Amino acid sequence: MLTESQKSCIEATLEDVEREALLEFQFLFALAGRLRGAEAGLRQSDRRVAKSLVPVALEFAAKVSEGGLSNGVLDWSDPDSVALEFEKAWSSRRLPKDTRIFEAAITISETNLLGLAIDRNRWVNRIANLGFCLSEMLPDTPILIPISDRTAGMLGTSLRTLSLAVQEAIRERMLIVLEKPNQELPSRRARRLKFNSKNKLIANHIDSARKQFRDALSKWEQDSVVTKAS
């Protein structure tokens, strides 16, 4: 039995498919993005989460077939095929639709959860805390910190400062680069990153930081509900 939230994700994704004229191989990626937003804060392994959400993908597949949205690129009538495609899409989707998780991480990272020294550069500290928050909300998944005007605006700094702060956090190995941007696609300016919880500047504070993060995420979600209601 699907939850109301999961049913809403299916309907919203079907609207995304038509409104954004998505290609067929993007359908499940879009669904994963919607579900990522609905599943913020989960601490289970990513693979286990993906498998638990396969019934949602199968219901979505049925509606794709019913709506005549398929061109035959994927076999929407084969449950095992859909499951494989969805699990791949889930592992590839790093942030939810409309970056709800990213917005939460931006807000929560204002607090120095990691206990980094206040005499250090505040923007490098902020980026380290942002990476930590993203890694907590998307465990076992590479994180992205887009070097863009939008990200800089959300943080309240300049694009240049954002870029330098990310570079310094990488140099200090608080963030580890897993994959560089695609050089053939200049618009892709975000690296795939991993937060380094074993960094000597962070390791002694990580347990305390995780507890503070859970409390802060709970408050952020409560505040979001109140804001939407009003």
Side-chain angles (χ1 to χ4, degrees), residues 138-210:
L138 297 175
D140 306 320
T141 304
I143 61 176
L144 292 177
I145 301 179
I147 309 301
S148 66
D149 289 322
R150 182 173 185 272
T151 304
M154 292 171 75
L155 287 166
T157 189
S158 68
L159 180 62
R160 174 71 174 172
T161 297
L162 167 62
S163 177
L164 290 174
V166 171
Q167 290 177 44
E168 184 63 15
I170 291 169
R171 189 190 70 79
E172 295 184 352
R173 292 190 62 78
M174 287 187 285
L175 299 174
I176 299 172
V177 177
L178 299 178
E179 180 183 301
K180 294 181 180 179
N182 190 327
Q183 299 302 314
E184 296 178 359
L185 297 173
S187 62
R188 287 184 55 187
R189 303 174 65 188
R191 296 175 172 92
R192 286 161 52 90
L193 303 168
K194 177 182 178 182
F195 176 74
N196 183 13
S197 61
K198 295 182 180 179
N199 184 289
K200 63 182 181 180
L201 296 171
I202 295 167
N204 291 337
H205 300 277
I206 198 70
D207 290 338
S208 172
R210 283 176 172 147

Side-chain angles (χ1 to χ4, degrees), residues 13-196:
T13 304
L14 291 170
E15 293 175 5
D16 293 338
V17 166
E18 298 204 38
R19 182 178 62 253
E20 300 173 17
L22 298 180
L23 299 175
E24 195 164 340
F25 69 87
Q26 296 174 310
F27 290 6
L28 288 171
F29 187 78
L31 177 64
R34 288 288 182 182
L35 291 169
R36 281 282 190 197
E39 301 295 328
L42 280 174
R43 296 296 304 153
Q44 303 170 38
S45 74
D46 219 43
R47 180 172 294 182
R48 184 174 300 178
V49 172
K51 288 186 179 300
S52 73
L53 292 172
V54 165
V56 184
L58 296 179
E59 179 65 22
F60 173 76
K63 290 186 177 294
V64 167
S65 296
E66 292 170 6
L69 299 175
S70 172
N71 292 321
V73 175
L74 303 182
D75 188 353
W76 298 97
S77 64
D78 182 345
D80 290 328
S81 177
V82 172
L84 286 172
E85 292 285 354
F86 176 73
E87 288 174 31
K88 180 178 184 297
W90 181 263
S91 65
S92 299
R93 184 84 197 209
R94 294 174 290 279
L95 290 174
K97 175 74 175 178
D98 298 328
T99 64
R100 182 173 181 270
I101 281 180
F102 195 72
E103 291 167 4
I106 289 281
T107 300
I108 297 171
S109 68
E110 291 180 7
T111 302
N112 186 12
L113 302 175
L114 295 171
L116 291 164
I118 60 174
D119 60 350
R120 286 169 39 82
N121 188 284
R122 67 187 178 97
W123 289 113
V124 179
N125 284 0
R126 180 69 183 278
I127 292 301
N129 278 280
L130 176 59
F132 166 69
C133 292
L134 289 170
S135 70
E136 288 297 294
M137 283 188 279
L138 297 175
D140 306 320
T141 304
I143 61 176
L144 292 177
I145 301 179
I147 309 301
S148 66
D149 289 322
R150 182 173 185 272
T151 304
M154 292 171 75
L155 287 166
T157 189
S158 68
L159 180 62
R160 174 71 174 172
T161 297
L162 167 62
S163 177
L164 290 174
V166 171
Q167 290 177 44
E168 184 63 15
I170 291 169
R171 189 190 70 79
E172 295 184 352
R173 292 190 62 78
M174 287 187 285
L175 299 174
I176 299 172
V177 177
L178 299 178
E179 180 183 301
K180 294 181 180 179
N182 190 327
Q183 299 302 314
E184 296 178 359
L185 297 173
S187 62
R188 287 184 55 187
R189 303 174 65 188
R191 296 175 172 92
R192 286 161 52 90
L193 303 168
K194 177 182 178 182
F195 176 74
N196 183 13

